[in-house]
């Protein structure tokens, strides 16, 4: 038997990881070089550690600050917002200035959510190691980078040394073959995977997504998929670079240009798992088996196709899982056996680093066009650049005409740190990535789904199979 | 960091799966300065109702479990965000060891960086330990050297990454260790400039 990544060929992950090892200890710990480090307002704990040691940032040129977690979305005027929130933003500004870091602040035309901005600006490239004090850093793996979230102690370590101690995780490949049915998106692939393997199913593993269904995804779709790797417990998620990746990067502000770009592109396209590479774990999925999905519980593993019914805790053999489902249904206030499509909602949210890119907004708008939302809701594009593009395409009019709010870019209602909250007891259909108890505000209830599914729920006021609205023609509407 | 060898302490059961970081410390408390301690925010919305009164059904509010330094929970403890504040909340409350069948990866490494031991036990051993605590066992002894947990007549093995074990046993901090490799780091960066010239972000300013 061969051991993964040794005698046999190497995986994509091995190739990128090995190229960054500075020191390898006997116990397996590797000192890794880090190519990109993103910071946000929550980074103040790490900067405080630097201050304690009177230390400097080792590589300001590879370190980027982005205002996203706490930023207001209905105004860009800091003088009118909660002073505690303003304080968080000002701390990041102070620390960025003090250490000479490039900061995407509220006035920057490139501002947005870190995991939307990185790719959009060409800061994210294949073959890089990338870290940020945010677990959804896995998103950037869509380009074939090793990208993962770190805690404040590690943020401080990277700031001071541009390196991180890591042990190579195990490698897992998830292969999705076949064509996705119309209306089925990357979000549905991800929720289906997590429902099958569990919220800790990929713990200790770096995931590579492969197969024809993955290849056919746009960069936006791959970003959504890799974003949710952490919700399966994965250390990171990756898709091997291909022509789609290279085409996306050409001409981005921070990406190389000219001959440097060509050299890069040649290196990037070589980043593939060898045909004889052995993975510690393999999982196969047939694209035809994936349906538009929603969550009904309080972890992303509590997901089912929209056509299904709410599960009954009595039907689970594992007592711990049965208890978990019981707790989830109690918190969510839904009944076992109830049709998922009968669950009424109070509001919708379209945004977050999972689903706030231009394609996501187009998908939601295609359902909302010519229709009215029957519940209130918020649409927050992932970056100001996405916002401008959506406005150029007239998508903002579709959202506003449907009765939804069209606001500025930020993490917003994904985590509610900026005050965009779901009120206690309310139920929100959301394009975000976490349906944890109280994630969108104390007592809030979250159902995760794709942007088109959220749009469909907004129209009907209950969880809805978007395919029904996709097929139904609307007077004067053009549902794609 | 203080070395972790053995811990003999009051132990609190928290028989739930997926105790995520949003529950460990809800986002709204993360604007606070660490100077005041994060212990009061630990599992805030499980411990307190809307009026701020203690919820009697939360095990952490059990008068007999006050002063607990060990927490026993179910699978996927600490899943979710990279917020190290989740570990600060535990540590500031007084918890130095969490026992569970599995942990969120980022949470576990954050824990070790703050001297908190994430001790992984099998699902069956975890259930046995929870049952022992439910039957009235008050304390447990965690021996990191021997990798065992003793409680309620049970002696259970636990696992922890060997690198983390060494780090905890010695109370080591990574930064000093890394700095001893300064020469190797600059040599790497230098060689990398020619190897991957496209790595450097193009636009600055
Ligand atoms: S949108 Fe949500 S998940 Fe994404 S970076 Fe912001 S807080 Fe994290």
């Amino acid at each position: 038997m061969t051991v993964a990544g040794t005698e046999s060929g190497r995986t994509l992950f091995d190739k990128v990881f090995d190229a960054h090892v500075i020191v390898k200890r006997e116990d397996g710990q590797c000192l890794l070089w880090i190519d990109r480090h993103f910071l946000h307002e929550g980074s103040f704990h790490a900067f405080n550690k630097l201050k304690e040691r009177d230390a400097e940032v080792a590589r300001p040129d590879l370190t980027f600050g982005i205002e996203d977690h706490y930023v207001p979305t209905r105004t860009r005027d800091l003088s009118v917002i909660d002073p505690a929130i303003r304080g968080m933003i000002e701390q990041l500004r102070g620390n960025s200035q003090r250490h000479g870091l490039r900061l995407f602040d509220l006035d920057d035309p490139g501002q947005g959510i870190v995991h939307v901005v990185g790719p959009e600006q060409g800061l994210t490239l294949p073959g890089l190691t990338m870290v940020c004090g945010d677990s959804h850093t896995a998103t950037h793996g869509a380009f074939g980078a090793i990208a993962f979230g770190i805690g404040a102690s590690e943020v401080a370590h990277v700031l001071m040394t541009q390196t991180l101690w890591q042990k190579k995780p195990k490698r897992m490949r998830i292969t999705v073959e076949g064509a996705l049915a119309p209306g089925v998106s990357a979000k549905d692939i991800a929720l289906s995977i997590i429902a099958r393997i569990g919220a800790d199913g990929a713990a200790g593993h770096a995931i590579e997504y492969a197969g024809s269904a993955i290849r056919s995804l746009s960069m936006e779709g791959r970003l959504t998929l890799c974003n949710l790797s952490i919700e399966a417990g994965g250390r990171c998620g990756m898709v091997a670079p291909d022509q789609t990746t290279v085409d996306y990067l050409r001409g981005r502000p921070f990406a190389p240009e000219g001959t440097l770009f060509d050299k890069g592109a040649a290196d990037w396209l070589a980043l593939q798992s060898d045909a004889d590479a052995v993975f510690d774990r393999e999982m196969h999925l047939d694209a035809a088996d994936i349906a538009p999905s929603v969550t009904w519980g309080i972890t992303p593993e509590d997901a089912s196709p929209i056509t299904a019914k709410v599960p009954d805790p009595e039907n689970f053999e594992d007592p711990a899982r049965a208890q978990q489902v019981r707790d989830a249904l109690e918190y969510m206030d839904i009944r076992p056996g109830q049709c998922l499509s009968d669950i009424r909602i109070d509001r919708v949210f379209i945004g977050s680093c999972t689903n706030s890119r231009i394609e996501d907004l187009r998908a939601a708008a295609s359902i909302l066009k010519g229709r009215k939302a029957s519940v209130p809701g918020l649409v927050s594009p992932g970056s100001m650049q996405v916002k401008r593009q959506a406005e150029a395409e007239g998508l903002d009019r579709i959202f506003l005409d449907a009765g939804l709010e069209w606001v500025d870019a930020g993490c917003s209602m994904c985590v509610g740190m900026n005050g965009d909250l779901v009120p206690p007891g309310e139920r929100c259909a959301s394009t975000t990535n976490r349906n944890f108890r109280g994630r969108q505000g104390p007592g809030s209830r979250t159902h995760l789904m794709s942007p088109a599914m959220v749009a469909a729920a907004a129209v009907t006021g209950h969880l809805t199979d978007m395919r029904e609205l996709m097929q139904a023609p609307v007077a004067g509407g053009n549902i794609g | 960091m203080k070395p972790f060898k053995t811990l003999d302490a009051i132990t609190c059961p928290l028989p739930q799966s997926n105790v995520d970081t949003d529950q460990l410390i809800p986002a709204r408390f993360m604007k606070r300065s660490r100077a005041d301690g994060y212990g009061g925010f630990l599992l805030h919305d499980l411990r307190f109702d809307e009026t701020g009164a203690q919820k009697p059904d939360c095990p952490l509010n059990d008068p007999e479990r006050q002063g607990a330094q060990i927490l026993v929970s179910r699978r996927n403890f600490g899943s979710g965000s990279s917020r190290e504040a989740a570990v600060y909340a535990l540590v500031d409350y007084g918890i130095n060891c969490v026992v569970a069948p599995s942990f969120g990866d980022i949470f576990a490494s954050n824990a070790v960086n703050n001297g908190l031991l994430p001790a992984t036990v099998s699902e069956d051993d975890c259930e046995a330990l929870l049952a022992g605590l439910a039957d009235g066992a008050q304390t447990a002894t965690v021996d990191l050297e021997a990798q065992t947990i003793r409680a309620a007549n049970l002696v259970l093995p636990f696992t922890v990454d060997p690198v983390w074990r060494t780090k905890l046993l010695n109370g080591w901090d990574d930064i000093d260790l890394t700095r001893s490799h300064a020469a190797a780091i600059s040599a790497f960066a230098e060689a990398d400039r020619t190897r991957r010239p496209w790595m450097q972000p193009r636009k600055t300013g």
Side-chain angles (χ1 to χ4, degrees):
Chain A
M1 206 187 91
T2 47
V3 177
T6 55
E7 300 87 344
S8 57
R10 291 189 303 157
T11 68
L12 164 63
F13 180 87
D14 292 307
K15 291 181 186 182
V16 180
F17 188 96
D18 296 349
H20 288 82
V21 175
I22 304 167
V23 175
K24 184 170 182 182
R25 288 201 329 225
E26 262 177 31
D27 60 11
Q29 278 290 89
C30 296
L31 187 63
L32 276 195
W33 176 257
I34 301 298
D35 294 317
R36 297 283 187 277
H37 187 191
F38 296 127
L39 303 163
H40 55 77
E41 303 94 311
S43 310
F44 72 97
H45 289 294
F47 279 111
N48 289 344
K49 287 178 202 280
L50 255 69
K51 210 167 165 186
E52 279 165 27
R53 289 177 178 254
D54 207 12
E56 297 299 320
V57 174
R59 291 294 297 267
D61 57 326
L62 304 180
T63 312
F64 295 83
I66 293 160
E67 296 177 356
D68 62 359
H69 276 62
Y70 285 86
V71 299
T73 47
R74 291 187 177 88
T75 174
R76 299 266 110 163
D77 179 0
L78 289 191
S79 68
V80 299
I81 65 165
D82 174 354
I85 291 176
R86 182 168 64 233
M88 292 296 287
I89 296 169
E90 283 171 348
Q91 276 190 79
L92 178 64
R93 290 185 181 179
N95 283 319
S96 300
Q97 204 171 22
R98 153 84 184 75
H99 293 280
L101 310 181
R102 169 73 162 87
L103 175 69
F104 291 87
D105 65 16
L106 281 182
D107 299 323
D108 195 299
Q111 183 268 342
I113 306 170
V114 51
H115 311 312
V116 176
V117 171
E120 187 173 85
Q121 294 291 330
L123 284 165
T124 306
L125 299 174
L128 300 188
T129 47
M130 309 180 62
V131 294
C132 172
D134 182 281
S135 56
H136 293 96
T137 307
T139 313
H140 306 264
F143 287 79
I146 294 183
F148 54 93
I150 54 177
S153 299
E154 293 170 322
V155 170
H157 189 278
V158 178
L159 284 174
M160 286 188 250
T161 66
Q162 202 59 32
T163 66
L164 202 59
W165 289 100
Q166 287 287 305
K167 200 164 154 177
K168 199 184 263 193
K170 293 185 185 141
R171 278 74 83 207
M172 172 174 187
R173 178 162 58 188
I174 301 179
T175 308
V176 190
E177 293 289 356
L180 294 168
V184 176
S185 69
K187 182 69 156 281
D188 302 306
I189 303 180
L191 289 176
S192 307
I193 293 170
I194 302 165
R196 282 174 171 78
I197 66 175
D200 56 355
H205 288 74
I207 305 172
E208 178 176 346
Y209 299 97
S212 56
I214 308 298
R215 291 259 144 267
S216 70
L217 290 175
S218 63
M219 284 319 297
E220 280 87 348
R222 296 178 192 183
L223 287 159
T224 300
L225 183 63
C226 289
N227 176 276
L228 288 156
S229 303
I230 182 76
E231 305 311 327
R235 188 77 184 124
C236 65
M238 296 173 94
V239 176
D242 59 9
Q243 201 53 43
T244 305
T245 322
V246 172
D247 293 345
Y248 178 97
L249 286 170
R250 201 183 300 274
R252 303 266 160 192
F254 289 84
E257 53 180 356
T259 49
L260 265 193
F261 186 89
D262 296 338
K263 162 135 179 59
D267 289 356
W268 303 335
L269 291 171
L271 288 172
Q272 310 285 330
S273 288
D274 294 331
D276 59 343
V278 177
F279 288 79
D280 299 276
R281 260 181 88 190
E282 295 263 14
M283 174 186 179
H284 293 269
L285 218 63
D286 188 343
D289 292 340
I290 301 172
S293 301
V294 294
T295 63
W296 40 262
I298 52 174
T299 111
E301 73 188 17
D302 299 338
S304 302
I306 179 66
T307 47
K309 289 184 163 52
V310 176
D312 189 337
E314 305 309 322
N315 296 340
F316 290 87
E317 268 175 34
D318 173 8
R321 175 73 180 139
Q323 185 57 41
Q324 185 194 326
V325 171
R326 215 170 283 124
D327 290 348
L329 298 189
E330 191 195 319
Y331 182 81
M332 294 299 286
D333 191 27
I334 51 182
R335 291 186 321 274
Q338 193 176 356
C339 283
L340 283 169
S341 54
D342 284 342
I343 296 174
R344 303 209 63 82
I345 55 157
D346 301 299
R347 66 179 59 237
V348 299
F349 176 64
I350 298 174
S352 89
C353 58
T354 311
N355 278 130
S356 62
R357 298 177 185 83
I358 191 69
E359 256 186 27
D360 300 314
L361 300 186
R362 286 182 195 139
S366 77
I367 299 290
L368 284 164
K369 188 165 185 180
R371 293 188 164 115
K372 293 274 176 228
S374 58
V375 293
L378 195 64
V379 185
S380 176
S383 70
M384 293 311 274
Q385 185 169 316
V386 170
K387 188 175 192 207
R388 286 189 300 276
Q389 188 174 349
E391 289 176 351
E393 295 179 16
L395 305 183
D396 58 324
R397 285 313 325 166
I398 297 177
F399 295 123
L400 289 165
D401 290 347
L404 302 178
E405 260 191 284
W406 174 249
V407 299
D408 287 335
C411 294
S412 184
M413 212 177 265
C414 170
V415 67
M417 285 172 167
N418 72 338
D420 292 345
L421 293 168
V422 174
E426 277 202 10
R427 193 183 293 289
C428 181
S430 182
T431 65
T432 53
N433 45 42
R434 286 196 174 133
N435 51 346
F436 297 163
R437 271 177 226 258
R439 167 78 175 183
Q440 295 188 294
S444 61
R445 300 182 174 119
T446 305
H447 294 275
L448 304 176
M449 62 199 83
S450 73
M453 287 287 286
V454 168
V459 171
T460 62
H462 55 82
L463 304 186
T464 299
D465 190 336
M466 52 77 67
R467 291 171 295 192
E468 291 163 18
L469 297 189
M470 192 167 76
Q471 284 145 14
V474 201
N478 172 24
I479 304 300
Chain B
M1 232 161 50
K2 220 170 82 227
F4 187 121
K5 306 256 191 244
T6 59
L7 178 63
D8 182 2
I10 296 175
T11 301
C12 184
L14 189 64
Q16 284 185 26
S17 311
N18 298 306
V19 175
D20 58 68
T21 49
D22 280 79
Q23 288 181 74
L24 286 167
I25 182 165
R28 60 187 187 278
F29 299 118
M30 288 169 54
K31 296 188 283 292
R32 310 288 182 102
S33 154
R34 176 86 188 274
D36 310 327
Y38 276 17
F41 312 136
L42 175 68
L43 293 164
H44 185 279
D45 297 346
L46 286 182
R47 275 161 73 198
F48 306 104
D49 66 16
E50 304 79 56
T51 68
Q54 288 196 353
K55 294 185 186 176
D57 57 345
C58 177
L60 279 165
N61 293 332
D62 182 342
E64 295 189 341
R65 306 283 172 184
Q66 297 312 299
Q69 294 182 47
I70 302 168
L71 204 58
V72 182
S73 192
R74 288 198 169 118
R75 65 174 261 268
N76 209 19
F77 187 92
S79 56
S81 94
S82 60
R83 58 180 76 163
E84 198 160 302
V87 176
Y88 301 159
L90 286 161
V91 170
D92 292 355
Y93 181 90
I95 305 290
N96 292 311
C97 173
V98 179
V99 181
S102 63
F103 292 91
D105 280 349
I106 311 179
F107 170 85
S109 70
N110 289 342
V112 173
N113 281 328
N114 289 276
L116 187 155
L117 166 66
T120 306
V121 291
S122 71
E123 296 260 1
D124 290 348
D125 285 351
C126 185
E127 292 306 319
L129 188 54
L130 285 170
L133 292 168
D135 285 348
Q138 284 301 308
T139 62
T141 307
V142 177
D143 185 338
L144 180 54
E145 205 90 58
Q147 291 188 223
T148 56
I149 302 165
R150 288 167 192 275
N153 298 328
L154 299 163
V155 185
L156 308 171
F158 71 86
T159 58
V160 57
D161 181 291
V163 175
W164 287 351
R165 178 169 170 271
T166 315
K167 217 166 123 170
L168 285 164
L169 282 171
N170 296 290
W172 277 341
D173 189 324
D174 282 343
I175 300 246
D176 302 316
L177 179 65
T178 307
R179 287 211 165 130
S180 71
H181 294 290
I185 297 172
S186 2
F188 180 95
E190 191 53 43
D192 193 52
R193 253 185 255 278
T194 27
R195 199 167 52 93
R196 295 186 307 154
W198 46 261
M199 184 279 273
Q200 196 66 26
R202 172 156 63 93
K203 192 174 118 181
T204 50

